[in-house]
Amino acid sequence: MASPITATLFTDPGCPFAYSFRPARARLRWRFGEQIEWRLVMIGLAEDASEYEEKGFTPAQLTVGLRDFERRWGMPFAYSLRPRVTATSPACRAVIAARLEDPALAERVLARLQVAYFTGRGMLDEPADLRRMLAELPGVDAERLVARIGSPEVR
């Protein structure tokens, strides 16, 4: 068999475009299997929620936008109004912390954070919410992963 193609996936647990790509990626994995080697690159859309607030982005705008994503891409979304906008960089670093342990674990952590965020009410920049979201993954030490998000090797 020839060497696999490396596909770089630029993604973020809080990006609705990245979340909506999940079905297409699943089809690519089904069709091409080991012929594609996926490389995750975490974007970190915002380090601090104030970056969104300064641009005038609100939880209400997010809710309206998610309805359009569901209509266009068929992904499930929760429509309850969040108390505020959320930064995504801490969740990205949780994926990186997982990747340092095992690349396959990073894939599972990313998927869990995307589904939990878009279908629930958790905030991606709240350590307690990240721990709660990740605690539901079998074999994941959520406490350890979240504790590592500020470490130099993860940053």
Side-chain angles (χ1 to χ4, degrees), residues 101-118:
E101 292 183 18
D102 178 5
L105 178 61
E107 295 277 353
R108 292 176 49 226
V109 166
L110 173 63
R112 176 65 193 134
L113 291 175
Q114 285 177 318
V115 171
Y117 176 66
F118 286 113

Side-chain angles (χ1 to χ4, degrees), residues 1-92:
M1 183 170 106
S3 297
I5 294 170
T6 299
T8 302
L9 177 61
F10 295 91
T11 190
D12 188 293
C15 176
F17 290 103
Y19 174 61
S20 295
F21 180 66
R22 294 193 66 73
R25 186 172 181 217
R27 282 191 302 273
L28 289 169
R29 285 184 149 168
W30 172 80
R31 171 64 179 90
F32 296 104
E34 299 297 316
Q35 295 176 64
I36 300 176
E37 178 181 286
W38 291 93
R39 179 176 162 255
L40 289 180
V41 174
M42 305 311 297
I43 297 170
L45 293 171
E47 184 64 35
D48 190 276
S50 64
E51 294 176 43
Y52 289 125
E53 293 162 357
E54 290 168 6
K55 295 174 184 171
F57 196 66
T58 67
Q61 288 172 317
L62 174 65
T63 300
V64 170
L66 294 181
R67 290 186 189 281
D68 184 53
F69 269 92
E70 182 175 52
R71 181 184 55 75
R72 291 174 62 198
W73 307 108
M75 296 300 287
F77 290 97
Y79 300 115
S80 54
L81 195 61
R82 294 182 189 274
R84 63 176 177 80
V85 293
T86 183
T88 63
S89 291
C92 289

